[in-house]
Amino acid sequence: MFYAIVKFIGLNLFRIFLRLEIEGQENIPKEGPLMLACNHISLLDPPVVGAACTRNVHWMAKEELFVPVLGTIYKWLGAFPVKRGTADRAALKHGIDIMKNNEVLAIFPEGTRSKTGALGKAAPGALMMAGQVRATILPACVIGTDIKRQGKLWPKVIVRFGKPIEFPKDSFVDKALLTKLTEEMMQEIAKLQAGEK
C-alpha cells in the first residue's frame, strides 16, 4: 500500500515538474521474473524509472544511501543495500530471491552514474543474477534526469522500455552466453537512448 501511494504521488509530480513521458510500457511483461536494466545519469533515475514501470520495482542501491530514516523509507520502497567493490553475497542472494518470487529487480549495468550522459560499458557479471533464474531482461533508458548538467529549470524527462530479451530455451547458462546477452542488452539500451525503434 505504501509503495502504491508513493508511486501514484511521484508519478503525478514527475509528470508536472519533469514533464515525464513514458514510452514502451506495453513491452513490460505482466508477470514472471524480470531484470530491468537501465542507463544511469542521475540520482533521480530510480524513483523516475520505478514510477514509470507498471510493476513494483526492487533496486540495488549503494549502502551509503541507507542512512537513518531515509534508509528505512528506501527499504519500504523495495530498495536494498549492496556493498560496492566487493562480492556482496547477501545482496546477490537477495536479488536472486526477488526474481525467484517472480518480481522485478532493477539494475544499472554500468555500475555507476555517467557524468557525461553517454552510455558506458556494462560491468562484468551484470546479468549473473538473471542467469541464475533465467529471468527476462528488460532494457530501459532514462533521458533528461541529469538536470544539473543540462542547466534547465524545467526539464523534459523520458523513460523508454525496450523489447524483452529472453534466455534461449534449453541453453546452458555460461560466461559466453551471459556476455552475448549483455552485449545485446547494451545495444538495445543504446538504441533506446538514440530514439531508435
Side-chain angles (χ1 to χ4, degrees):
M1 179 62 76
F2 178 75
Y3 187 105
I5 292 171
V6 173
K7 180 175 180 177
F8 176 80
I9 294 172
L11 185 57
N12 284 283
L13 288 176
F14 295 149
R15 282 176 169 156
I16 294 170
F17 294 106
L18 301 181
R19 295 188 290 167
L20 175 63
E21 290 186 5
I22 306 169
E23 302 174 9
Q25 280 185 324
E26 69 278 5
N27 293 325
I28 303 172
K30 291 182 172 56
E31 56 187 19
L34 185 67
M35 174 172 276
L36 192 163
C38 186
N39 66 318
H40 192 18
I41 55 177
S42 165
L43 290 175
L44 280 173
D45 297 342
V48 169
V49 176
C53 188
T54 53
R55 294 172 62 179
N56 290 3
V57 178
H58 299 268
W59 289 95
M60 292 184 78
K62 60 183 181 181
E63 65 174 351
E64 293 86 353
L65 294 175
F66 289 79
V67 295
V69 182
L70 279 178
T72 301
I73 294 173
Y74 294 151
K75 289 178 180 178
W76 286 347
L77 293 174
F80 61 98
V82 59
K83 296 176 183 177
R84 297 194 298 174
T86 64
D88 189 340
R89 295 183 181 278
L92 293 174
K93 182 181 183 302
H94 187 64
I96 291 169
D97 287 343
I98 285 169
M99 291 183 288
K100 281 184 177 179
N101 288 330
N102 292 319
E103 297 182 74
V104 181
L105 173 66
I107 65 164
F108 296 121
E110 298 162 279
T112 188
R113 275 179 288 162
S114 169
K115 294 180 180 179
T116 64
L119 186 65
K121 292 183 178 180
L127 294 185
M128 183 275 295
M129 289 185 290
Q132 292 286 320
V133 292
R134 292 177 173 270
T136 299
I137 304 157
L138 183 70
C141 173
V142 60
I143 298 168
T145 51
D146 49 347
I147 299 168
K148 186 176 180 180
R149 187 177 66 83
Q150 293 187 40
K152 295 180 180 178
L153 293 177
W154 196 29
K156 183 175 185 61
V157 172
I158 301 171
V159 176
R160 295 187 177 120
F161 297 100
K163 299 290 186 181
I165 299 171
E166 304 284 352
F167 277 83
K169 290 183 178 179
D170 302 322
S171 62
F172 179 70
V173 178
D174 57 9
K175 184 178 179 180
L177 177 59
L178 291 175
T179 299
K180 177 179 177 294
L181 292 180
T182 298
E183 290 174 355
E184 183 179 344
M185 172 188 73
M186 296 307 288
Q187 288 171 2
E188 289 302 313
I189 294 175
K191 288 179 182 178
L192 292 170
Q193 198 173 37
E196 297 178 23
K197 299 296 184 181

